[in-house]
């Protein structure tokens, strides 16, 4: 059976109790912690930055899966790396210098993730083949948790799997217990789940069931 990694997004967490929330995810069997960084420019929402990531780093041992939804992400790569990010993912639509940003992440010794808005085709990443470790397929418009899964994402995930057979495919947005199996079947290795975990009765059960794919 394929190993499925669960990376709960803390966007839906209680920010007034972030330490307890992250420790609860760790105790509930999460594999990574997905940190949604938004700047109000690339997406119409503002969340948190390096100080919050640095404090999350202090309270869990799980890998921090940092999703930068910010313009010109290269400006902040080094600071997020120093804050404790393990995987730094950015949107190719957010910069004219994709290669330079990739190189900056590598220089900091971190894993490189590239992400695409729902309307950007997977083929947009072909020029960077072999240069990155993780492909983050957005299955909602980036900016908010609790949205509905865009069904057309399933074809996009399969296409990503076909064009990039050797890297991790992560799917982010609207994934829950009812659609997770088909997301994994389409080719996902890593599932981001915010509301499906934080709004569940029992986080451990929810994560366990998502892992079953
Ligand atoms: C949206 C974020 C997602 C979101 C996932 O821009 O990138 O990570 O928080 O939340 P759910 O799982 O509730 O859609
Ligand atoms: Zn995200």
């Amino acid at each position: 059976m394929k190993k499925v990694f669960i990376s709960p997004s803390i966007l839906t967490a209680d920010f007034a109790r972030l330490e307890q929330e992250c420790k609860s995810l760790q105790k509930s069997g999460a594999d990574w912690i997905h940190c949604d960084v938004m700047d109000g420019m690339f997406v119409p929402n503002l969340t948190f930055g390096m100080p919050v990531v640095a404090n999350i780093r202090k309270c869990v041992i799980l890998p921090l899966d940092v999703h930068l939804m910010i313009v010109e992400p290269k400006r902040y790569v080094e600071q997020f790396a120093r804050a404790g990010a393990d995987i730094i993912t950015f949107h190719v639509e957010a910069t004219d210098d994709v290669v330079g940003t990739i190189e900056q992440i590598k220089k900091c010794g971190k894993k490189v993730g590239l992400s695409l808005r729902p309307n950007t085709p997977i083929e947009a990443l072909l020029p960077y083949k072999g240069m990155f470790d993780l492909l983050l397929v957005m299955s909602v418009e980036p900016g908010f948790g609790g949205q509905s899964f865009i069904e057309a994402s399933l074809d996009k995930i399969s296409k990503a799997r076909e064009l990039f057979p050797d890297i991790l495919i992560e799917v982010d947005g609207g994934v829950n217990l009812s659609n997770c199996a088909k997301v994994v079947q389409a080719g996902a290795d890593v599932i981001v789940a915010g509301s499906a975990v934080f709004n569940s009765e029992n986080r451990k059960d929810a994560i366990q069931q998502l892992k079953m794919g």
Side-chain angles (χ1 to χ4, degrees):
M1 180 135 127
K2 174 167 128 174
K3 163 101 177 126
V4 177
F5 294 86
I6 306 301
S7 183
S9 158
I10 55 170
L11 188 60
T12 316
D14 175 355
F15 277 31
R17 301 176 47 256
L18 216 38
E19 175 178 1
Q20 297 92 318
E21 295 277 65
C22 291
K23 283 183 172 160
S24 139
L25 291 177
Q26 182 165 266
K27 225 165 114 242
S28 303
D31 294 290
W32 301 350
I33 291 190
H34 188 80
C35 303
D36 283 311
V37 177
M38 301 180 190
D39 66 358
M41 300 285 284
F42 183 70
V43 291
N45 196 1
L46 266 173
T47 55
F48 52 82
M50 296 72 79
V52 170
V53 172
N55 278 282
I56 293 172
R57 179 71 291 161
K58 286 192 296 193
C59 53
V60 291
I61 56 168
L62 294 177
L64 300 187
D65 168 31
V66 174
H67 179 192
L68 298 179
M69 288 163 274
I70 66 175
V71 294
E72 289 317 327
K74 195 169 73 173
R75 297 170 298 151
Y76 292 106
V77 162
E78 212 166 312
Q79 294 179 62
F80 276 105
R82 266 208 309 275
D86 296 281
I87 302 143
I88 300 179
T89 297
F90 66 97
H91 279 260
V92 294
E93 307 97 338
T95 175
D96 294 336
D97 187 9
V98 173
V99 175
T101 309
I102 289 172
E103 282 164 358
Q104 181 75 355
I105 297 170
K106 286 183 174 172
K107 208 171 90 199
C108 296
K110 305 301 177 181
K111 292 285 181 206
V112 179
L114 296 185
S115 187
L116 302 168
R117 289 179 185 278
N119 291 341
T120 306
I122 294 290
E123 289 78 359
L125 299 182
L126 284 173
Y128 316 110
K129 190 160 186 162
M131 298 174 69
F132 61 105
D133 307 292
L134 177 142
L135 196 170
L136 176 60
V137 177
M138 290 306 296
S139 37
V140 294
E141 270 309 318
F144 299 91
Q147 300 178 75
S148 303
F149 182 84
I150 298 170
E151 287 300 319
S153 312
L154 292 170
D155 291 342
K156 204 168 165 185
I157 297 161
S158 305
K159 183 67 142 176
R161 185 74 290 158
E162 179 203 328
L163 293 179
F164 298 94
D166 309 324
I167 62 170
L168 286 173
I169 307 284
E170 184 174 27
V171 178
D172 183 4
V175 183
N176 53 45
L177 302 190
S178 58
N179 62 22
C180 187
K182 55 186 181 184
V183 171
V184 172
Q185 233 122 44
D189 303 296
V190 187
I191 300 291
V192 176
S195 30
V197 171
F198 282 97
N199 298 341
S200 68
E201 292 289 300
N202 180 312
R203 292 177 181 177
K204 194 174 172 78
D205 287 352
I207 289 173
Q208 216 37 48
Q209 285 179 56
L210 288 166
K211 273 189 185 183
M212 305 296 280

